[in-house]
Amino acid sequence: GIPGIFDDVVAAPPDGILMLNGLFKASTNPQKMNLGVGAYRDDDLRPYILPSVRAAEAKIAANPAAFNKEYLPIEGYGPFLTESAKLMFGADSALLAERRVASAQSISGTGSLHVALAFLREVLPPTPELLISGPTP
């Protein structure tokens, strides 16, 4: 391969939540319940769709032309990023005014952006300042 900044990175241990999911699938216990991946299941182990999600689906189905199905840019949906930054830092924040805030959007309830930035903080040369929030419990 090409020598680079990731050459000395040691592989992380397997993800505990995904490992639990594998153990769940392998279990033959008829009373098993998988709560490890953040998805609710009914008594027949089918995904339980929250009423709020059903309402959102109905809203989309009622007016499909109003909802864009194109892929988002790699960094995420611009208006969402802008409003999220205002919410986090304050609409009048000097950081925003000075364009010193970078935002990105990702899917997942596993803290993917936190994990990515924590990883980069470990493998990249020190930066003047990199603020990473603590994940929610």
Side-chain angles (χ1 to χ4, degrees), residues 2-8:
I2 301 172
I5 60 173
F6 300 116
D7 288 348
D8 297 325

Side-chain angles (χ1 to χ4, degrees), residues 99-124:
R99 301 178 55 85
R100 293 177 31 200
V101 172
S103 297
Q105 178 183 5
S106 72
I107 60 171
S108 171
T110 60
S112 57
L113 294 176
H114 176 84
V115 171
L117 289 173
F119 170 74
L120 291 174
R121 180 173 54 190
E122 292 295 320
V123 301
L124 293 178

Side-chain angles (χ1 to χ4, degrees), residues 62-79:
N63 190 6
F67 296 92
N68 184 342
K69 303 287 192 226
E70 294 294 329
Y71 280 101
L72 293 175
I74 193 75
E75 69 276 4
Y77 182 56

Side-chain angles (χ1 to χ4, degrees), residues 4-136:
I5 60 173
F6 300 116
D7 288 348
D8 297 325
V9 175
V10 177
D15 180 84
I17 296 291
L18 296 178
M19 192 169 25
L20 282 175
N21 197 41
L23 292 171
F24 170 81
K25 288 179 179 178
S27 173
T28 57
N29 185 329
Q31 295 181 321
K32 68 184 180 178
M33 184 174 287
N34 185 355
L35 300 176
V37 295
Y40 297 106
R41 305 269 174 188
D42 65 16
D43 290 340
D44 297 319
L45 298 179
R46 291 184 308 243
Y48 172 74
I49 309 302
L50 296 171
S52 58
V53 173
R54 291 277 187 223
E57 290 173 335
K59 189 175 180 181
I60 292 169
N63 190 6
F67 296 92
N68 184 342
K69 303 287 192 226
E70 294 294 329
Y71 280 101
L72 293 175
I74 193 75
E75 69 276 4
Y77 182 56
F80 174 78
L81 299 175
T82 299
E83 296 304 314
S84 296
K86 288 179 190 176
L87 180 65
M88 290 174 53
F89 296 102
D92 299 327
S93 167
L95 293 171
L96 295 176
E98 296 165 8
R99 301 178 55 85
R100 293 177 31 200
V101 172
S103 297
Q105 178 183 5
S106 72
I107 60 171
S108 171
T110 60
S112 57
L113 294 176
H114 176 84
V115 171
L117 289 173
F119 170 74
L120 291 174
R121 180 173 54 190
E122 292 295 320
V123 301
L124 293 178
T127 59
E129 185 173 25
L130 177 59
L131 303 175
I132 302 175
S133 67
T136 56

